[in-house]
Amino acid sequence: MEKIIELKNISKSFDGEAVLKHIDLYIGNSEFITLLGPSGCGKTTTLRIIGGFEKPDEGDVIFEGTRINDVPAHKRSVNTVFQKYALFPHLNVFENIAFALRLQKCPKEEIRRRVKEMLSLVALEGFERKNVTLLSGGQQQRVAIARALISHPKILLLDEPLGALDLKLRKDMQNELKNIQKQTGITFIYVTHDQEEALSMSDTVVVMADGEIQQIGTPIDIYNEPVNAFVADFIGESNIVDGVMPADRTVRFSGHTFECLDGGFAANEAVDVVIRPEDIDVVSPDQSPLTGTVTGVTFKGVHYEIIVDVGGFKWMIQSTDFVEEGARIGLKIGPDDIHVMKKSRYSGLYGDYSSFSDELDELSDADKVEE
Amino acid sequence: MRKRSLLSTAAAYPHIVWMVLFIVAPLLFVLYYAFTDPSGAFTLENVTALGSHKTTFVLSIALSVIATFLCFIIGYPLAWIISRADPGRQRIYMMLIMLPMWTNLLIRTYSMMAIMDDGGFLNGILAALHLGKVHLIGTKGAVLFGMVYDFLPYMVLPIYTVMNKIDPRLTEAASDLGAGGWRVLTKVTMPLSMSGVVSGITMVFVPSISTFYISQKLGGGSFELIGDTIERQFQNETTYNVGAMISLVMMVLILISLAVMNKFSDESEEILP
Ligand SMILES: Nc1ncnc2c1ncn2[C@@H]1O[C@H](COP(=O)(O)OP(=O)(O)OP(=O)(O)O)[C@@H](O)[C@H]1O
Ligand SMILES: [Mg+2]
C-alpha cells in the first residue's frame, strides 16, 4: 500500500505536559484508519497536527514524501469534519458546501453542478437554501461532510463526527460514511472513543492511551491479539488474569495449567492472560478444573452476562444458556480461547469484574452521548 | 382611594417611576418648549428658526459621520488584532484601550489642547527640530481628532466582544477549506462580527453628533457644531424655545439612525446561532 501520510516521532506538549509522546504512524492511500482511545489520550491533537492547526514540538509530518511541518492548514490537501460541525452560520447550505470552490474561483456553473453532486452524495437534495442553524444534527453532519469533500481533498479528517447523534442515526451515518469513503477513495482518518464504531468501520485501528500508540492493526487483529492489558480491556470485554509460561504452548493461571497456542516467552515468564467472555463455555463443575460460583446474571438480549467468582477473582462469561445465581459451574476454556500477552504498565489495572456493575456502564454511556 | 392605589402601583414598579421622572418628564418639557414662545403661547416659529442653523446641522452630521468612519477604520483592525492575541495579552490591550476613559473628558480635551496649541507641546517639538509650525487648534481636523480619540473605545469594545465570541473552529474551518488569513477575515470574521460593528457605529455616532465640548475647545470657536448651538440657546432665556426645537430635531435624527442601525443588526443577528 502506498503511504500518503507519515508521522515520524511526533511529540507535543501543552504547558509542559506531554500530550503526544513519540508517535510513529503511517497511513496508506485510500485507507480508512481510526484513532481510538479514551478521552484526553491525544487523538484530537494528532488530527490537528495532520490538519496543520498545531505544530509538533518534535518529529516530522510527511505528506506524499514531502515534509509539511511548516505548510499552513489552508495549503494542505487535507480537509476536516469538525466535532461540532463548525458550519458557517451566516451562509446557507449551498454556500457552506460551495465555500472551498468559491475560494478557488471556480466558474459558477461548475460550482452549481458539484454542490448538487455533493448534496446527492449526502442525501440532502433540495436543501440548498436552508439555513444551516435550523438543520437537525444529522443534517448538519451531512453538510459538514459535503463541505469537506467537495474540493476532493486527499485526506479527510473526522473528529468524532457522530458523537452528538443518537444511536440509530449513528448506525445509519456509520454505514453512509463507510460507503462515501469507498465511493470516493479518499483516505479517512477517523477519531472516536467508541470501540464498536472503530471495529466496524475501519481498515486499520490505532489504539492510543496516554499520548502513546498502544497497537496498530486490523480490527480482527486488535480484537484477537491485543498487545497489552489496556488494549484487551478497551476493545470489547476481557477477563485478564495473571499467569506464567512454564514453556511454549503451556500457560498456568488460576492455579491450573492450560494448553495454549502462544509461545516465544522466557521460561516461567510472568504474563497477562486474556480470555474473552464469549469464548468461555459453561459446563458442569466436574468437567473442568476451573470452577466458580455465579454471583450475578444479567439478560442482555442476545446472551446472558454471567459474573462468576473463581477463587476470589471475578470472571465474566457471555452465554446464551441461563444459569442460576449462586450455582456452582465449571468454566471450559480451549487452547485457542487463550491469548497470552507480555506484562506492561497496564497489567493488573484491568480485566477483573469485581467492581463491575451495569449501572456504572450506563453512566459512562450517558457521558458519551452528552459529549 | 384612587390615589393610594396609584401610589402602591408606583411602589411596585420603581423602574416605571424612574422612567417617568427622568425620561418621560424631561421629554415632555422639551416638547413643550419646542412648540411655545418665551411667553408660553403655542407657536411654530421655532420650526422656521431651524432654517438659520442648516449649515451647522450639515457640518455636525458630516463631521460625526467622518469621525465614526475613522473610528471604524482604526477600531476594527484593532479589535481584530486584540481578539487574536493570547488571552493574557488581550486583557492588557483592552485595559490600555479603556484607560483613557477613566480620565475625565474635560481633562482629556484640555490636554489635547495643550498638545495641539500653536505654542503647545507638539509645536514645541517641531520647533526644536526646526520643522516649522502646524496650526491645529481651530481646524476641523483637530475636532475630528478629538472625537476619534475620545470615542474610539466605544467602537473597539463592542466589536472585540462579538469577535471574541466567534467560535475559533469557524475560522479554522475556513482555513481548512483553503482560505488564507485575509480571506478568513473577509469571508468569516467580518460577516460574523457585523452586529458588533453596528453597535460600535451607533455608540460612536450618537456622542459625536451631540458633542459640544470637543468642538468648543479644539475648534477654538472658529466654527460651531449643533451641540454648541443647543448649549448657546440655553444660555439665554429668550432662546430656550429654539434650543428645545433643535434638541428635538436632533433626537428624532438620532432615533431614526438608531432604528436603521437596529434593523441592520437584527438582520445579521438572525443568521447567528
Ligand atoms: N490547546 C491546548 N492547550 C492546552 N492543553 C491542550 C490543548 N489541546 C489539548 N490539550 C490537552 O491535551 C490532552 C489531549 O487532548 P486531545 O484533545 O488530543 O484528547 P482527545 O484524545 O481528543 O480526547 P477526547 O476524546 O476527550 O476528545 C488533554 O489533556 C488536553 O487537555
Ligand atoms: Mg478529541
Side-chain angles (χ1 to χ4, degrees), chain A residues 38-109:
Chain A
S39 194
C41 71
K43 305 181 295 288
T44 298
T45 308
T46 309
L47 272 203
R48 289 175 62 81
I49 286 174
I50 298 173
F53 300 113
E54 216 79 72
K55 276 201 178 168
D57 299 339
E58 214 185 291
D60 294 324
V61 184
I62 313 281
F63 179 76
E64 292 184 329
T66 327
R67 182 174 179 275
I68 56 162
N69 285 36
D70 303 315
V71 177
H74 68 276
K75 294 201 175 131
R76 295 191 185 188
S77 190
V78 177
N79 285 357
T80 310
V81 175
F82 290 83
Q83 190 160 3
K84 285 184 184 117
Y85 320 139
L87 299 179
F88 303 121
H90 60 295
L91 301 177
N92 63 21
V93 171
F94 184 95
E95 288 303 326
N96 261 280
I97 298 176
F99 196 84
L101 298 187
R102 290 241 190 268
L103 290 173
Q104 294 165 13
K105 304 250 187 313
C106 262
K108 278 211 170 65
E109 214 22 71

Side-chain angles (χ1 to χ4, degrees), chain B residues 78-152:
Chain B
L78 205 57
W80 184 65
I81 291 166
I82 295 173
S83 75
R84 285 161 53 95
D86 47 67
R89 286 270 171 82
Q90 286 189 20
R91 230 166 296 134
I92 296 172
Y93 292 153
M94 281 324 281
M95 265 268 286
L96 288 177
I97 299 252
M98 309 283 289
L99 207 60
M101 288 168 70
W102 298 350
T103 319
N104 187 293
L105 176 72
L106 299 188
I107 296 172
R108 263 184 291 160
T109 313
Y110 267 109
S111 330
M112 273 188 268
M113 268 179 82
I115 293 170
M116 290 195 275
D117 209 34
D118 284 351
F121 180 71
L122 195 63
N123 275 314
I125 293 180
L126 288 178
L129 295 171
H130 305 289
L131 284 173
K133 277 190 166 203
V134 281
H135 178 63
L136 294 169
I137 290 294
T139 63
K140 302 198 173 70
V143 174
L144 270 179
F145 180 86
M147 287 179 176
V148 171
Y149 179 79
D150 278 331
F151 303 134
L152 185 64

Side-chain angles (χ1 to χ4, degrees), chain A residues 48 51 53 73-74 76 78-80 82-84 86-90 96 99-100 102-105 131 133 147-148, chain B residues 167-181 183-184 186-189 191-192 268 270-273:
Chain A
R48 289 175 62 81
F53 300 113
H74 68 276
R76 295 191 185 188
V78 177
N79 285 357
T80 310
F82 290 83
Q83 190 160 3
K84 285 184 184 117
L87 299 179
F88 303 121
H90 60 295
N96 261 280
F99 196 84
R102 290 241 190 268
L103 290 173
Q104 294 165 13
K105 304 250 187 313
N131 179 338
T133 58
R147 181 181 71 173
Chain B
D167 187 342
R169 260 169 303 205
L170 292 178
T171 47
E172 277 186 359
S175 47
D176 189 62
L177 294 166
R183 288 200 290 184
V184 172
T186 55
K187 300 230 165 216
V188 176
T189 312
L192 290 179
S268 59
E270 242 170 56
I271 47 173
L272 284 174

Side-chain angles (χ1 to χ4, degrees), chain B:
Chain B
M1 205 51 209
R2 175 105 190 93
K3 203 171 174 196
R4 238 193 82 193
S5 82
L6 228 161
L7 251 179
S8 61
T9 318
Y13 299 100
H15 60 286
I16 289 185
V17 176
W18 192 90
M19 290 207 304
V20 168
L21 268 181
F22 295 106
I23 299 175
V24 180
L27 274 177
L28 289 177
F29 272 114
V30 172
L31 262 177
Y32 168 77
Y33 278 113
F35 290 100
T36 51
D37 62 16
S39 68
F42 176 79
T43 176
L44 287 176
E45 238 169 66
N46 302 328
V47 182
T48 13
L50 283 175
S52 59
H53 299 290
K54 210 173 92 193
T55 47
T56 322
F57 266 109
V58 172
L59 182 64
S60 293
I61 292 173
L63 280 184
S64 48
V65 166
I66 297 171
T68 309
F69 180 72
L70 289 176
C71 279
F72 170 71
I73 292 295
I74 302 167
Y76 194 89
L78 205 57
W80 184 65
I81 291 166
I82 295 173
S83 75
R84 285 161 53 95
D86 47 67
R89 286 270 171 82
Q90 286 189 20
R91 230 166 296 134
I92 296 172
Y93 292 153
M94 281 324 281
M95 265 268 286
L96 288 177
I97 299 252
M98 309 283 289
L99 207 60
M101 288 168 70
W102 298 350
T103 319
N104 187 293
L105 176 72
L106 299 188
I107 296 172
R108 263 184 291 160
T109 313
Y110 267 109
S111 330
M112 273 188 268
M113 268 179 82
I115 293 170
M116 290 195 275
D117 209 34
D118 284 351
F121 180 71
L122 195 63
N123 275 314
I125 293 180
L126 288 178
L129 295 171
H130 305 289
L131 284 173
K133 277 190 166 203
V134 281
H135 178 63
L136 294 169
I137 290 294
T139 63
K140 302 198 173 70
V143 174
L144 270 179
F145 180 86
M147 287 179 176
V148 171
Y149 179 79
D150 278 331
F151 303 134
L152 185 64
Y154 299 122
M155 181 66 80
V156 177
L157 207 63
I159 296 177
Y160 165 78
T161 310
V162 170
M163 276 186 176
N164 226 11
K165 276 193 286 199
I166 297 178
D167 187 342
R169 260 169 303 205
L170 292 178
T171 47
E172 277 186 359
S175 47
D176 189 62
L177 294 166
W182 174 249
R183 288 200 290 184
V184 172
L185 179 66
T186 55
K187 300 230 165 216
V188 176
T189 312
M190 276 187 182
L192 290 179
S193 54
M194 272 324 284
S195 63
V197 171
V198 167
S199 20
I201 288 177
T202 328
M203 285 170 73
V204 171
F205 182 72
V206 172
S208 300
I209 200 167
S210 47
T211 185
F212 58 93
Y213 202 76
I214 297 174
S215 48
Q216 271 169 25
K217 295 298 159 207
L218 301 180
S222 57
F223 56 90
E224 207 174 66
L225 293 187
I226 204 70
D228 307 311
T229 311
I230 295 172
E231 193 204 14
R232 200 159 41 75
Q233 307 305 318
F234 280 100
Q235 278 162 351
N236 184 338
E237 251 172 66
T238 58
T239 50
Y240 256 47
N241 309 77
V242 178
M245 180 50 87
I246 302 175
S247 309
L248 194 66
V249 171
M250 281 286 297
M251 249 185 290
V252 171
L253 276 180
I254 289 174
L255 279 179
I256 291 172
S257 53
L258 280 182
V260 171
M261 276 305 185
N262 271 337
K263 191 162 155 37
F264 269 119
S265 66
D266 282 352
E267 273 166 14
S268 59
E269 211 89 300
E270 242 170 56
I271 47 173
L272 284 174

